[in-house]
Amino acid sequence: MDKKQTRRVLIASLVGSSIEWFDYFLYGTVAALVFNQLFFVTEDPTVGLLLAYASFALAFFIRPFGGIIFSHIGDRIGRKKTLVLTLSLMGVATFGMGLLPTYQAIGIWAPILLITLRLVQGLGIGGEWGGALLLAVEYAPPEKKGLYGSIPQMGVTIGMFMGTIALWLMTMLPEESFITWGWRVPFILSALLVVFGLWIRKGIDETPEFKKVQESGEIPKLPIVDTLKYHWREVLIAIGAKVVETAPFYIFSTFVVSYATTNLDFTRTNTLTAVMIATVVTTILIPVMGNLSDKVGRKKLYVTGTVAMALFAFPYFWMLQQGSVALLIIATVIGLGIIWAPITAVLGTMFSEIFDAKIRYTGISLGYQIGAALAGGTAPLVATALLVRFDNSYIPVAIYIIFTALISLVAIWAVKDRSRQQLDQSVEAKESRA
């Protein structure tokens, strides 16, 4: 594959992933700032916030179904066609959210319509991640799979950065204007990003590894059946490994927006600034860590990040409690920017290396999306509920972060580090051909 085609594949993987996550995180942040006032209207603001976070969590539980539907198409028909479908679905749902009338205008139909569109978003993102990852990894030379596999992971933080900066700009508006129409602008403008993403993806070919499966005639009739019958252990490993990558991420990026503004009296702008700076740091570090994993192995980097996550749980909240904007930024940068980077950088490539090519889309999507449903979407909800239950003490939330790290460490013990093994096999194959 020439450099021009390589660049287009990586851009297609990154751009689509960024747009999908921009749409997805936009909802999470606005849920904390606006939806509890405009869609989930109750007498108790905390109940409204819990309902808003519940709607955020709901999409995580639909994501595995999106993963099953679109990974079936991806393993049967191809990665490229599936990615066009998922991006279109997400784009329509997000654009629709920007146009929705509020509870004050149409009553109970407002939250019902919002939740429906949120579920459509969940279906789209459920199929998107696996396809974007495989687009990069299945085009990668063996010695660069870690680097290539980390590129779509950058889409998570780039999408989040775009969503945060869009809302940050909108929060500059007077409060009344932001609540009335300002929050809608990023949702509506996301349509332009989707059109660009579809144009980029149109110009790429199917992945070499999927073509090999097609040529061999080994395409399974029901990839989900084969995956659960022969690869259920790998699915369980992937679910467990996903837990520490997803729960702390949503604590550091979504939960902190409401916690720092409501419980600790930080301004909304300062909190969003901290998250924005951290996402820039982690976006830079992700490909660095992906490249490093090609040299030292995925497992070693992942375990290092996971142990660091457990150790940082209590210091993170202690730093927030000091009431200093500088410490808020430093804490968020360390947690979200530095510690989380090696975990997420290697996760996708590590998953792709434990599944066979003919059911790979299904296998990685199931593990990733079920793990996200169990630990990701519920994280802000669990953290808020723990605060309510324990009189706003952060100790149970810190213990919760440590618990997620322990689950993932248990899961990762079962993974053989195949990055070095596959690289050695590749070198041997080249030498034998020479």
Side-chain angles (χ1 to χ4, degrees), residues 195-272:
V195 171
F196 174 68
L198 291 172
W199 173 74
I200 282 281
R201 285 185 170 178
K202 195 178 176 185
I204 56 171
D205 199 6
E206 191 49 78
T207 72
E209 290 195 38
F210 182 75
K211 283 182 178 176
K212 284 180 189 173
V213 175
Q214 279 183 315
E215 288 164 9
S216 70
E218 291 184 349
I219 292 177
K221 287 183 179 178
L222 285 170
I224 183 72
V225 173
D226 283 16
T227 304
L228 294 177
K229 190 173 182 181
Y230 303 111
H231 302 277
W232 59 270
R233 287 184 184 84
E234 288 88 342
V235 171
L236 288 178
I237 289 168
I239 291 169
K242 173 67 179 163
V243 169
V244 76
E245 190 260 1
T246 196
F249 175 84
Y250 287 104
I251 299 290
F252 296 150
S253 63
T254 304
F255 166 75
V256 75
V257 175
S258 63
Y259 178 67
T261 54
T262 306
N263 295 62
L264 303 176
D265 296 325
F266 286 102
T267 68
R268 188 183 295 160
T269 305
N270 284 339
T271 309
L272 291 176

XYZ file of all heavy atoms in Angstrom, residues 195-272:
635
model
N -20.906 15.006 6.719
C -20.750 15.047 5.256
C -19.278 14.896 4.875
O -18.920 14.137 3.969
C -21.326 16.367 4.678
C -20.966 16.524 3.203
C -22.843 16.402 4.859
N -18.387 15.575 5.606
C -16.945 15.470 5.351
C -16.450 14.044 5.598
O -15.684 13.482 4.814
C -16.185 16.462 6.239
C -14.687 16.338 6.147
C -14.021 16.679 4.976
C -13.943 15.873 7.228
C -12.638 16.562 4.879
C -12.567 15.753 7.143
C -11.905 16.102 5.959
N -16.907 13.441 6.703
C -16.498 12.076 7.045
C -16.918 11.067 5.991
O -16.157 10.160 5.631
N -18.132 11.194 5.485
C -18.627 10.279 4.444
C -17.823 10.427 3.152
O -17.533 9.449 2.466
C -20.116 10.545 4.173
C -21.071 10.145 5.306
C -22.486 10.638 5.018
C -21.074 8.635 5.523
N -17.442 11.667 2.821
C -16.643 11.911 1.619
C -15.269 11.229 1.731
O -14.790 10.601 0.786
C -16.482 13.416 1.408
C -15.546 13.754 0.284
C -15.781 13.644 -1.057
C -14.196 14.229 0.418
N -14.670 14.020 -1.772
C -13.681 14.392 -0.897
C -13.381 14.542 1.514
C -12.376 14.846 -1.131
C -12.099 14.997 1.277
C -11.605 15.140 -0.033
N -14.645 11.349 2.896
C -13.323 10.733 3.112
C -13.421 9.206 2.991
O -12.601 8.552 2.347
C -12.770 11.106 4.513
C -12.198 12.530 4.493
C -11.701 10.130 4.967
C -10.821 12.676 3.885
N -14.444 8.624 3.602
C -14.563 7.166 3.634
C -14.919 6.562 2.274
O -14.643 5.412 2.016
C -15.602 6.752 4.684
C -15.050 6.885 6.080
C -15.969 6.386 7.149
N -15.249 6.344 8.428
C -15.784 5.990 9.572
N -17.056 5.647 9.626
N -15.072 5.972 10.677
N -15.529 7.381 1.425
C -15.923 6.896 0.105
C -14.707 6.514 -0.741
O -14.774 5.639 -1.597
C -16.744 7.977 -0.613
C -17.494 7.462 -1.824
C -18.317 8.568 -2.468
C -18.997 8.049 -3.742
N -19.698 9.128 -4.449
N -13.576 7.163 -0.492
C -12.402 6.970 -1.341
C -11.452 5.872 -0.905
O -10.325 5.795 -1.397
N -11.859 5.002 0.023
C -10.949 3.934 0.465
C -11.456 2.555 0.040
O -12.629 2.375 -0.254
C -10.761 3.950 2.006
C -12.112 3.835 2.714
C -9.997 5.181 2.443
C -12.011 3.624 4.194
N -10.531 1.610 0.008
C -10.850 0.243 -0.417
C -11.083 -0.631 0.819
O -10.806 -0.221 1.949
C -9.677 -0.296 -1.245
C -10.070 -1.486 -2.095
O -11.279 -1.823 -2.129
O -9.186 -2.078 -2.723
N -11.589 -1.848 0.593
C -11.784 -2.805 1.682
C -10.433 -3.245 2.233
O -9.417 -3.191 1.541
C -12.569 -4.018 1.142
C -13.084 -4.975 2.192
C -13.810 -4.273 3.333
O -14.967 -3.892 3.168
O -13.179 -4.104 4.385
N -10.384 -3.674 3.503
C -9.107 -4.028 4.129
C -8.537 -5.320 3.543
O -9.291 -6.228 3.166
C -9.245 -4.209 5.660
O -9.961 -5.414 5.931
C -9.966 -3.035 6.299
N -7.193 -5.428 3.472
C -6.559 -6.626 2.913
C -6.960 -7.915 3.656
O -7.162 -8.949 3.020
C -5.064 -6.345 3.080
C -4.948 -4.861 3.192
C -6.208 -4.403 3.848
N -7.072 -7.844 4.993
C -7.378 -9.064 5.761
C -8.804 -9.546 5.494
O -9.059 -10.745 5.456
C -7.143 -8.821 7.258
C -5.657 -8.672 7.576
C -5.362 -8.801 9.059
O -6.008 -9.632 9.728
O -4.471 -8.070 9.538
N -9.754 -8.606 5.319
C -11.120 -9.032 4.999
C -11.177 -9.624 3.591
O -11.898 -10.595 3.349
C -12.113 -7.871 5.110
C -13.535 -8.293 4.839
C -14.258 -9.006 5.778
C -14.135 -8.012 3.613
C -15.559 -9.435 5.524
C -15.436 -8.426 3.346
C -16.148 -9.129 4.303
N -10.400 -9.056 2.661
C -10.352 -9.608 1.291
C -9.862 -11.053 1.310
O -10.358 -11.902 0.572
C -9.434 -8.754 0.414
C -10.071 -7.445 -0.048
C -9.090 -6.711 -0.947
C -9.685 -5.418 -1.482
N -8.697 -4.669 -2.284
N -8.856 -11.335 2.170
C -8.333 -12.708 2.286
C -9.416 -13.661 2.770
O -9.534 -14.798 2.295
C -7.143 -12.741 3.262
C -5.859 -12.184 2.690
C -4.750 -12.280 3.743
C -3.507 -11.536 3.292
N -2.490 -11.484 4.361
N -10.207 -13.208 3.764
C -11.306 -14.040 4.276
C -12.319 -14.295 3.167
O -12.813 -15.423 2.996
C -11.989 -13.367 5.494
C -13.207 -14.166 5.936
C -11.012 -13.235 6.656
N -12.636 -13.266 2.376
C -13.565 -13.419 1.250
C -13.046 -14.436 0.239
O -13.780 -15.307 -0.234
C -13.778 -12.065 0.549
C -14.790 -11.159 1.234
C -15.009 -9.879 0.455
O -14.056 -9.247 0.007
N -16.265 -9.482 0.298
N -11.756 -14.308 -0.099
C -11.147 -15.209 -1.085
C -11.104 -16.650 -0.594
O -11.238 -17.596 -1.379
C -9.731 -14.720 -1.413
C -9.707 -13.447 -2.248
C -8.344 -12.768 -2.230
O -7.378 -13.384 -1.716
O -8.252 -11.617 -2.701
N -10.932 -16.820 0.706
C -10.859 -18.184 1.272
C -12.232 -18.836 1.370
O -12.352 -20.041 1.577
C -10.213 -18.141 2.660
O -11.092 -17.513 3.585
N -13.290 -18.023 1.240
C -14.662 -18.558 1.354
C -15.048 -18.923 2.774
O -15.974 -19.695 3.004
N -14.326 -18.369 3.767
C -14.571 -18.737 5.171
C -15.466 -17.740 5.912
O -15.475 -17.709 7.144
C -13.236 -18.858 5.915
C -12.400 -20.055 5.461
C -11.132 -20.204 6.283
O -10.802 -19.268 7.048
O -10.478 -21.247 6.169
N -16.210 -16.914 5.178
C -17.080 -15.947 5.834
C -18.202 -16.693 6.562
O -18.963 -17.442 5.950
C -17.682 -14.959 4.808
C -16.561 -14.065 4.250
C -18.769 -14.106 5.440
C -17.010 -13.101 3.178
N -18.324 -16.512 7.907
C -19.358 -17.241 8.655
C -20.759 -16.707 8.356
O -20.933 -15.507 8.128
C -18.977 -16.980 10.120
C -18.171 -15.728 10.097
C -17.499 -15.656 8.772
N -21.750 -17.605 8.358
C -23.135 -17.173 8.112
C -23.652 -16.330 9.263
O -24.348 -15.342 9.071
C -24.034 -18.409 7.911
C -23.821 -19.108 6.569
C -24.774 -20.274 6.408
C -24.561 -20.943 5.060
N -25.432 -22.114 4.880
N -23.331 -16.746 10.490
C -23.747 -15.997 11.678
C -22.519 -15.762 12.564
O -22.224 -16.569 13.453
C -24.823 -16.745 12.450
C -26.233 -16.741 11.844
C -27.129 -17.719 12.594
C -26.843 -15.332 11.892
N -21.771 -14.666 12.323
C -20.545 -14.413 13.101
C -20.772 -14.405 14.612
O -19.922 -14.862 15.364
C -20.106 -13.026 12.609
C -20.723 -12.880 11.260
C -22.016 -13.630 11.309
N -21.941 -13.918 15.047
C -22.224 -13.850 16.484
C -22.275 -15.244 17.105
O -21.789 -15.466 18.213
C -23.555 -13.080 16.750
C -23.831 -12.946 18.253
C -24.748 -13.732 16.074
C -22.959 -12.008 18.990
N -22.832 -16.219 16.359
C -22.920 -17.599 16.864
C -21.521 -18.202 16.994
O -21.174 -18.801 18.020
C -23.810 -18.468 15.944
C -23.758 -19.938 16.359
C -25.248 -17.956 15.967
N -20.704 -18.039 15.946
C -19.331 -18.558 15.978
C -18.521 -17.911 17.104
O -17.745 -18.579 17.791
C -18.636 -18.288 14.640
C -19.090 -19.248 13.552
O -20.144 -19.892 13.749
O -18.409 -19.361 12.515
N -18.718 -16.618 17.289
C -17.969 -15.894 18.319
C -18.310 -16.413 19.713
O -17.421 -16.693 20.526
C -18.275 -14.383 18.246
O -17.979 -13.909 16.938
C -17.433 -13.608 19.253
N -19.607 -16.537 20.004
C -20.027 -16.980 21.339
C -19.754 -18.467 21.573
O -19.567 -18.887 22.715
C -21.517 -16.678 21.534
C -21.881 -15.184 21.569
C -23.388 -14.999 21.686
C -21.163 -14.455 22.710
N -19.706 -19.239 20.486
C -19.482 -20.688 20.618
C -17.998 -21.019 20.816
O -17.639 -21.844 21.662
C -20.008 -21.398 19.373
C -20.041 -22.912 19.503
C -20.732 -23.530 18.285
C -20.812 -25.050 18.415
N -21.469 -25.665 17.230
N -17.143 -20.360 20.019
C -15.725 -20.725 20.016
C -14.809 -19.688 20.665
O -13.655 -19.986 20.965
C -15.243 -20.960 18.575
C -16.040 -22.008 17.836
C -16.865 -21.660 16.773
C -15.981 -23.352 18.218
C -17.604 -22.621 16.089
C -16.718 -24.323 17.549
C -17.540 -23.940 16.482
O -18.271 -24.901 15.820
N -15.286 -18.459 20.857
C -14.399 -17.386 21.336
C -14.969 -16.654 22.548
O -14.649 -15.486 22.775
C -14.132 -16.386 20.201
C -13.523 -17.004 18.979
N -12.171 -17.239 18.840
C -14.102 -17.455 17.835
C -11.942 -17.797 17.657
N -13.099 -17.933 17.032
N -15.820 -17.315 23.322
C -16.469 -16.638 24.451
C -15.454 -16.220 25.524
O -15.640 -15.195 26.195
C -17.572 -17.506 25.052
C -17.124 -18.848 25.555
C -17.079 -20.012 24.858
C -16.655 -19.163 26.880
N -16.605 -21.037 25.656
C -16.352 -20.539 26.898
C -16.472 -18.407 28.047
C -15.869 -21.175 28.029
C -15.982 -19.036 29.180
C -15.690 -20.414 29.166
N -14.360 -16.989 25.663
C -13.343 -16.608 26.659
C -12.695 -15.271 26.284
O -12.485 -14.406 27.135
C -12.251 -17.683 26.745
C -12.695 -18.960 27.451
C -11.537 -19.940 27.575
N -11.975 -21.200 28.161
C -12.529 -22.194 27.479
N -12.717 -22.064 26.166
N -12.897 -23.312 28.073
N -12.391 -15.121 24.981
C -11.788 -13.873 24.521
C -12.746 -12.689 24.720
O -12.316 -11.585 25.059
C -11.402 -13.972 23.038
C -10.200 -14.865 22.763
C -10.580 -16.330 22.558
O -11.707 -16.710 22.954
O -9.745 -17.079 22.027
N -14.040 -12.939 24.509
C -15.039 -11.882 24.715
C -15.042 -11.443 26.177
O -15.060 -10.248 26.487
C -16.457 -12.345 24.283
C -17.518 -11.324 24.694
C -16.514 -12.561 22.771
N -15.006 -12.421 27.101
C -14.980 -12.098 28.532
C -13.721 -11.316 28.916
O -13.777 -10.377 29.715
C -15.062 -13.380 29.369
C -16.428 -14.091 29.397
C -16.335 -15.369 30.220
C -17.505 -13.172 29.982
N -12.574 -11.710 28.335
C -11.319 -10.990 28.592
C -11.446 -9.538 28.138
O -11.075 -8.602 28.852
C -10.135 -11.672 27.858
C -9.803 -13.009 28.522
C -8.903 -10.763 27.840
C -8.852 -13.882 27.711
N -12.008 -9.350 26.931
C -12.157 -8.002 26.380
C -13.103 -7.144 27.234
O -12.843 -5.969 27.476
C -12.666 -8.078 24.939
N -14.190 -7.743 27.707
C -15.134 -7.014 28.574
C -14.419 -6.533 29.836
O -14.513 -5.364 30.229
C -16.344 -7.906 28.954
C -17.219 -8.166 27.727
C -17.179 -7.243 30.062
C -18.281 -9.252 27.949
N -13.686 -7.439 30.477
C -12.973 -7.092 31.707
C -11.890 -6.050 31.486
O -11.724 -5.119 32.283
N -11.160 -6.181 30.373
C -10.073 -5.236 30.086
C -10.603 -3.840 29.774
O -9.924 -2.843 30.012
C -9.237 -5.749 28.907
N -11.822 -3.778 29.265
C -12.429 -2.491 28.897
C -12.821 -1.660 30.128
O -12.865 -0.433 30.070
C -13.659 -2.767 28.030
C -14.533 -1.569 27.678
C -13.839 -0.588 26.757
C -14.765 0.584 26.418
N -14.038 1.725 25.887
N -13.077 -2.334 31.256
C -13.642 -1.667 32.440
C -12.796 -0.489 32.919
O -13.311 0.614 33.126
C -13.849 -2.698 33.589
C -14.184 -1.999 34.898
C -14.969 -3.659 33.217
N -11.481 -0.669 33.070
C -10.640 0.411 33.596
C -10.401 1.493 32.548
O -10.035 2.622 32.872
C -9.288 -0.127 34.110
C -8.329 -0.463 32.959
C -8.632 0.872 35.064
N -10.610 1.144 31.283
C -10.433 2.147 30.229
C -11.640 3.073 30.148
O -11.528 4.224 29.745
C -10.210 1.437 28.884
C -9.785 2.357 27.756
C -10.923 2.735 26.828
O -12.074 2.307 27.054
O -10.666 3.470 25.861
N -12.794 2.568 30.574
C -14.025 3.334 30.346
C -14.584 4.034 31.589
O -14.941 5.200 31.526
C -15.094 2.452 29.667
O -16.108 3.274 29.138
C -15.708 1.430 30.594
N -14.652 3.343 32.730
C -15.270 3.965 33.920
C -14.504 5.207 34.403
O -15.091 6.284 34.536
C -15.428 2.945 35.039
N -13.182 5.115 34.663
C -12.462 6.316 35.099
C -12.512 7.434 34.058
O -12.548 8.617 34.414
C -11.019 5.815 35.294
C -11.171 4.358 35.562
C -12.318 3.923 34.707
N -12.524 7.061 32.779
C -12.602 8.073 31.724
C -13.833 8.958 31.901
O -13.752 10.183 31.813
C -12.635 7.402 30.350
C -12.844 8.366 29.211
C -11.769 9.052 28.675
C -14.103 8.602 28.696
C -11.948 9.962 27.643
C -14.304 9.504 27.669
C -13.216 10.186 27.134
N -14.984 8.345 32.162
C -16.213 9.122 32.315
C -16.287 9.851 33.661
O -16.988 10.843 33.783
C -17.448 8.232 32.092
C -17.610 7.901 30.632
C -17.271 6.650 30.138
C -18.077 8.855 29.734
C -17.391 6.366 28.790
C -18.198 8.577 28.385
C -17.857 7.327 27.913
O -17.964 7.049 26.582
N -15.545 9.346 34.639
C -15.439 10.091 35.907
C -14.646 11.380 35.655
O -15.042 12.472 36.052
C -14.720 9.248 36.992
C -15.486 7.966 37.301
C -14.497 10.092 38.259
C -16.778 8.141 38.028
N -13.491 11.250 34.962
C -12.601 12.386 34.729
C -13.152 13.395 33.721
O -12.753 14.549 33.726
C -11.237 11.904 34.209
C -10.460 11.057 35.170
C -9.581 10.087 34.702
C -10.594 11.203 36.540
C -8.849 9.297 35.575
C -9.868 10.418 37.422
C -8.993 9.459 36.933
N -14.043 12.943 32.823
C -14.458 13.823 31.726
C -15.908 14.300 31.819
O -16.200 15.439 31.458
C -14.260 13.113 30.388
O -15.089 11.958 30.302
N -16.818 13.456 32.298
C -18.242 13.808 32.319
C -18.740 14.109 33.730
O -19.284 15.174 33.993
C -19.080 12.665 31.705
O -18.603 12.395 30.386
C -20.544 13.032 31.622
N -18.516 13.170 34.644
C -18.954 13.345 36.026
C -18.342 14.595 36.651
O -19.005 15.338 37.389
C -18.593 12.101 36.846
C -18.702 12.285 38.333
C -19.938 12.326 38.965
C -17.550 12.426 39.104
C -20.033 12.505 40.339
C -17.633 12.603 40.480
C -18.878 12.646 41.095
N -17.063 14.855 36.350
C -16.363 15.992 36.959
C -17.029 17.325 36.609
O -16.949 18.290 37.390
C -14.866 16.001 36.556
C -14.678 16.471 35.103
C -14.056 16.898 37.491
N -17.710 17.402 35.456
C -18.346 18.665 35.052
C -19.421 19.073 36.063
O -19.485 20.218 36.496
C -18.949 18.556 33.629
C -19.720 19.821 33.260
C -17.847 18.308 32.607
N -20.254 18.112 36.455
C -21.293 18.438 37.434
C -20.723 18.469 38.856
O -21.082 19.327 39.662
C -22.448 17.429 37.360
O -21.996 16.136 37.687
N -19.794 17.556 39.179
C -19.236 17.478 40.528
C -18.470 18.755 40.895
O -18.681 19.347 41.959
C -18.297 16.264 40.620
C -17.612 16.115 41.967
C -18.343 15.799 43.104
C -16.237 16.289 42.082
C -17.715 15.668 44.342
C -15.599 16.152 43.300
C -16.347 15.844 44.437
O -15.720 15.708 45.651
N -17.597 19.194 39.974
C -16.771 20.374 40.270
C -17.602 21.651 40.319
O -17.312 22.553 41.112
C -15.668 20.511 39.220
N -18.639 21.745 39.493
C -19.452 22.975 39.475
C -20.490 22.996 40.597
O -20.734 24.037 41.199
C -20.167 23.143 38.113
O -20.914 21.959 37.818
C -19.180 23.387 36.988
N -21.077 21.829 40.903
C -22.153 21.778 41.905
C -21.617 21.617 43.325
O -22.041 22.316 44.251
C -23.111 20.606 41.601
O -23.567 20.726 40.257
C -24.310 20.622 42.534
N -20.666 20.705 43.515
C -20.182 20.388 44.864
C -18.997 21.230 45.317
O -18.800 21.440 46.514
C -19.778 18.905 44.954
C -20.960 17.979 44.773
O -21.583 17.975 43.728
N -21.266 17.190 45.804
N -18.189 21.676 44.354
C -16.935 22.340 44.733
C -16.860 23.800 44.299
O -15.820 24.440 44.440
C -15.744 21.564 44.139
C -15.639 20.086 44.536
C -14.479 19.420 43.815
C -15.488 19.924 46.049
N -17.925 24.320 43.715
C -18.021 25.749 43.358
C -17.009 26.220 42.314
O -16.656 27.409 42.279
C -17.900 26.641 44.612
C -19.074 26.404 45.571
O -20.186 26.152 45.078
O -18.843 26.459 46.788
N -16.509 25.312 41.476
C -15.715 25.746 40.324
C -16.683 26.285 39.271
O -17.841 25.855 39.206
C -14.921 24.574 39.722
C -13.732 24.156 40.539
C -13.783 23.027 41.346
C -12.553 24.894 40.496
C -12.681 22.630 42.096
C -11.450 24.511 41.254
C -11.517 23.379 42.055
N -16.208 27.187 38.423
C -17.081 27.666 37.352
C -17.138 26.622 36.239
O -16.216 25.813 36.084
C -16.579 28.999 36.753
O -15.345 28.756 36.057
C -16.382 30.053 37.820
N -18.215 26.680 35.475
C -18.392 25.759 34.346
C -17.243 25.912 33.345
O -16.698 24.934 32.831
C -19.726 26.071 33.678
C -20.159 25.087 32.618
C -21.452 25.546 31.969
N -22.558 25.553 32.905
C -23.683 26.240 32.736
N -23.837 26.994 31.671
N -24.657 26.183 33.611
N -16.851 27.154 33.100
C -15.780 27.423 32.120
C -14.449 26.847 32.577
O -13.727 26.228 31.788
C -15.636 28.945 31.881
O -16.901 29.475 31.496
C -14.632 29.241 30.772
N -14.110 27.006 33.879
C -12.849 26.452 34.402
C -12.819 24.937 34.314
O -11.792 24.334 33.971
C -12.641 26.881 35.861
C -12.179 28.328 35.978
O -11.646 28.895 35.029
N -12.406 28.924 37.134
N -13.947 24.315 34.615
C -14.013 22.843 34.571
C -13.856 22.335 33.140
O -13.092 21.393 32.878
C -15.352 22.343 35.155
O -15.560 22.945 36.426
C -15.341 20.834 35.322
N -14.556 22.960 32.219
C -14.454 22.553 30.810
C -13.052 22.823 30.259
O -12.543 22.059 29.440
C -15.502 23.281 29.961
C -16.972 22.884 30.200
C -17.902 23.743 29.363
C -17.205 21.405 29.888
